[in-house]
Amino acid sequence: MAAQMAALNIVFEAPDNAKGPCPSKVRPIDLVHLAKQTMGDKALELEVLQMFARQARACLQDIASGETIRIGAAAHRLKGAASSVGAFRVSQTAEAVEENGNDAGATAALGAAVIDAENFILKLCRG
């Protein structure tokens, strides 16, 4: 009984690195978040990420159209999809585009974030 209590105390203590940066939050895709969403199913993770990459490309094409309504709708879709898979930088930059559709800087930042996420996804698929 004492051993079980000690084990529980260890499990529920804050980790030593609690104040440091969380590697999953620094990456283009938060793999911890994605694992929670897919219940740890690695094949499903890859499938979801590949679908996200295709959707992100389609959304970028809509954003490039220059049509205000299409830009807002595509940015909104991308923001939601990115949040779902743990692509939080894509989500944040998509929100900026959604709010300021004709801001070239926000659009460029979104494009860069999507490329980073795509490259990360490609590396995962190869590994």
Side-chain angles (χ1 to χ4, degrees):
M1 181 71 168
Q4 289 175 332
M5 290 304 291
L8 282 175
N9 286 336
I10 291 170
V11 169
F12 291 106
E13 284 179 3
D16 292 339
N17 64 350
K19 295 186 191 227
C22 179
S24 64
K25 299 282 185 193
V26 177
R27 294 181 179 138
I29 305 288
D30 182 340
L31 296 175
V32 173
H33 177 82
L34 181 61
K36 288 177 185 173
Q37 296 294 93
T38 60
M39 293 179 270
D41 184 331
K42 296 297 180 193
L44 181 58
E45 286 178 15
L46 292 177
E47 185 178 342
V48 166
L49 288 175
Q50 290 168 345
M51 286 190 309
F52 167 71
R54 286 190 298 273
Q55 182 179 13
R57 274 291 160 177
C59 287
L60 286 180
Q61 288 178 342
D62 284 345
I63 289 167
S65 75
E67 298 174 27
T68 305
I69 293 173
R70 284 179 67 189
I71 292 170
H76 184 76
R77 281 193 314 272
L78 185 52
K79 178 179 73 172
S83 292
S84 295
V85 300
F88 296 121
R89 195 173 78 134
V90 172
S91 181
Q92 291 168 345
T93 55
E95 183 174 20
V97 169
E98 183 180 19
E99 293 171 358
N100 310 303
N102 292 323
D103 182 339
T107 303
L110 176 58
V114 168
I115 289 170
D116 284 346
E118 285 179 336
N119 287 335
F120 188 79
I121 292 166
L122 285 171
K123 288 177 188 175
L124 287 176
C125 291
R126 288 185 195 141

